[in-house]
Short mmCIF file of all heavy atoms in Angstrom, two decimals:
data_model
loop_
_atom_site.label_atom_id
_atom_site.label_comp_id
_atom_site.label_asym_id
_atom_site.label_seq_id
_atom_site.Cartn_x
_atom_site.Cartn_y
_atom_site.Cartn_z
N ALA E 178 40.12 81.44 -1.29
CA ALA E 178 40.60 82.44 -2.25
C ALA E 178 40.43 81.80 -3.61
O ALA E 178 40.28 80.57 -3.73
CB ALA E 178 42.07 82.77 -1.99
N GLY E 179 40.42 82.62 -4.64
CA GLY E 179 40.21 82.01 -5.95
C GLY E 179 40.58 82.95 -7.06
O GLY E 179 40.83 84.15 -6.85
N LEU E 180 40.64 82.39 -8.25
CA LEU E 180 40.86 83.18 -9.45
C LEU E 180 39.52 83.32 -10.17
O LEU E 180 38.93 82.33 -10.59
CB LEU E 180 41.85 82.47 -10.38
CG LEU E 180 43.27 82.25 -9.82
CD1 LEU E 180 44.06 81.31 -10.73
CD2 LEU E 180 43.97 83.58 -9.68
N VAL E 181 39.06 84.56 -10.27
CA VAL E 181 37.81 84.80 -11.00
C VAL E 181 38.15 85.70 -12.18
O VAL E 181 38.67 86.80 -11.99
CB VAL E 181 36.75 85.47 -10.09
CG1 VAL E 181 35.44 85.66 -10.84
CG2 VAL E 181 36.54 84.66 -8.83
N GLY E 182 37.92 85.22 -13.37
CA GLY E 182 38.32 85.98 -14.55
C GLY E 182 39.82 86.24 -14.53
O GLY E 182 40.28 87.31 -14.93
N GLY E 183 40.60 85.30 -14.00
CA GLY E 183 42.05 85.42 -13.96
C GLY E 183 42.57 86.28 -12.81
O GLY E 183 43.77 86.39 -12.60
N LEU E 189 35.53 84.12 -1.47
CA LEU E 189 34.55 84.17 -2.55
C LEU E 189 33.13 83.97 -2.04
O LEU E 189 32.86 83.04 -1.28
CB LEU E 189 34.86 83.08 -3.58
CG LEU E 189 36.28 83.04 -4.16
CD1 LEU E 189 36.34 82.03 -5.33
CD2 LEU E 189 36.73 84.40 -4.63
N TYR E 191 29.14 83.08 -3.12
CA TYR E 191 28.66 82.01 -4.01
C TYR E 191 28.71 82.42 -5.47
O TYR E 191 29.13 81.65 -6.33
CB TYR E 191 27.23 81.60 -3.63
CG TYR E 191 26.68 80.59 -4.59
CD1 TYR E 191 27.13 79.28 -4.57
CD2 TYR E 191 25.73 80.95 -5.55
CE1 TYR E 191 26.65 78.34 -5.47
CE2 TYR E 191 25.24 80.02 -6.45
CZ TYR E 191 25.71 78.71 -6.41
OH TYR E 191 25.24 77.80 -7.31
N GLU E 192 28.29 83.65 -5.72
CA GLU E 192 28.20 84.09 -7.11
C GLU E 192 29.60 84.12 -7.75
O GLU E 192 29.77 83.77 -8.90
CB GLU E 192 27.54 85.49 -7.13
CG GLU E 192 26.91 85.89 -8.45
CD GLU E 192 27.95 86.48 -9.37
OE1 GLU E 192 28.96 86.99 -8.87
OE2 GLU E 192 27.74 86.41 -10.59
N GLU E 193 30.62 84.51 -6.97
CA GLU E 193 32.00 84.50 -7.47
C GLU E 193 32.52 83.08 -7.60
O GLU E 193 33.17 82.72 -8.58
CB GLU E 193 32.90 85.29 -6.50
CG GLU E 193 32.57 86.79 -6.48
CD GLU E 193 33.26 87.53 -5.33
OE1 GLU E 193 33.58 86.89 -4.30
OE2 GLU E 193 33.45 88.74 -5.47
N ASP E 194 32.24 82.29 -6.59
CA ASP E 194 32.71 80.91 -6.56
C ASP E 194 32.24 80.15 -7.79
O ASP E 194 32.98 79.34 -8.37
CB ASP E 194 32.17 80.24 -5.29
CG ASP E 194 32.79 78.87 -5.07
OD1 ASP E 194 34.02 78.75 -5.19
OD2 ASP E 194 32.03 77.92 -4.80
N SER E 195 31.01 80.40 -8.20
CA SER E 195 30.46 79.62 -9.31
C SER E 195 31.08 80.04 -10.65
O SER E 195 31.00 79.30 -11.62
CB SER E 195 28.94 79.78 -9.36
OG SER E 195 28.62 81.13 -9.56
N ARG E 196 31.74 81.21 -10.67
CA ARG E 196 32.42 81.65 -11.89
C ARG E 196 33.94 81.45 -11.82
O ARG E 196 34.65 81.78 -12.77
CB ARG E 196 32.14 83.14 -12.15
CG ARG E 196 30.70 83.45 -12.58
CD ARG E 196 30.54 84.94 -12.90
NE ARG E 196 30.84 85.78 -11.76
CZ ARG E 196 31.77 86.72 -11.72
NH1 ARG E 196 32.54 86.97 -12.78
NH2 ARG E 196 31.96 87.43 -10.63
N ALA E 197 34.44 80.94 -10.70
CA ALA E 197 35.90 80.89 -10.48
C ALA E 197 36.60 79.89 -11.39
O ALA E 197 36.07 78.81 -11.68
CB ALA E 197 36.19 80.55 -9.02
N ASP E 198 37.79 80.24 -11.86
CA ASP E 198 38.64 79.31 -12.61
C ASP E 198 39.32 78.36 -11.63
O ASP E 198 39.47 77.18 -11.87
CB ASP E 198 39.73 80.07 -13.36
CG ASP E 198 39.15 81.16 -14.24
OD1 ASP E 198 38.18 80.88 -14.95
OD2 ASP E 198 39.66 82.30 -14.17
N THR E 199 39.78 78.98 -10.54
CA THR E 199 40.44 78.18 -9.52
C THR E 199 39.85 78.56 -8.18
O THR E 199 39.59 79.73 -7.91
CB THR E 199 41.96 78.45 -9.50
OG1 THR E 199 42.52 77.93 -10.69
CG2 THR E 199 42.62 77.78 -8.31
N ASP E 200 39.64 77.54 -7.37
CA ASP E 200 39.03 77.73 -6.08
C ASP E 200 39.95 77.10 -5.05
O ASP E 200 40.37 75.95 -5.22
CB ASP E 200 37.66 77.02 -6.09
CG ASP E 200 36.97 77.13 -4.75
OD1 ASP E 200 37.22 78.10 -4.03
OD2 ASP E 200 36.19 76.20 -4.45
N MET E 201 40.28 77.84 -4.03
CA MET E 201 41.25 77.31 -3.07
C MET E 201 40.72 77.50 -1.65
O MET E 201 40.20 78.57 -1.31
CB MET E 201 42.55 78.08 -3.22
CG MET E 201 43.69 77.52 -2.43
SD MET E 201 45.24 77.74 -3.34
CE MET E 201 46.14 76.32 -2.73
N THR E 217 41.77 73.78 -6.51
CA THR E 217 41.21 73.06 -7.64
C THR E 217 41.04 73.99 -8.82
O THR E 217 40.43 75.05 -8.69
CB THR E 217 39.82 72.51 -7.28
OG1 THR E 217 39.93 71.71 -6.11
CG2 THR E 217 39.24 71.68 -8.40
N ALA E 218 41.59 73.58 -9.96
CA ALA E 218 41.36 74.34 -11.18
C ALA E 218 40.04 73.90 -11.76
O ALA E 218 39.93 72.82 -12.32
CB ALA E 218 42.49 74.09 -12.18
N GLU E 219 39.01 74.73 -11.59
CA GLU E 219 37.72 74.38 -12.19
C GLU E 219 37.80 74.64 -13.69
O GLU E 219 37.19 73.95 -14.49
CB GLU E 219 36.59 75.22 -11.58
CG GLU E 219 36.59 75.28 -10.07
CD GLU E 219 35.87 74.09 -9.46
OE1 GLU E 219 35.34 73.27 -10.21
OE2 GLU E 219 35.84 73.98 -8.21
N GLY E 220 38.55 75.69 -14.05
CA GLY E 220 38.75 75.99 -15.47
C GLY E 220 40.18 75.61 -15.86
O GLY E 220 40.57 74.46 -15.73
N ALA E 221 40.98 76.58 -16.30
CA ALA E 221 42.35 76.31 -16.72
C ALA E 221 43.23 76.01 -15.50
O ALA E 221 43.05 76.60 -14.44
CB ALA E 221 42.90 77.53 -17.46
#
Side-chain angles (χ1 to χ4, degrees):
Chain E
L180 298 169
V181 183
L189 307 188
Y191 175 73
E192 202 276 335
E193 293 168 335
D194 189 46
S195 61
R196 289 184 300 121
D198 306 314
T199 291
D200 178 28
M201 188 146 209
T217 304
E219 312 275 357

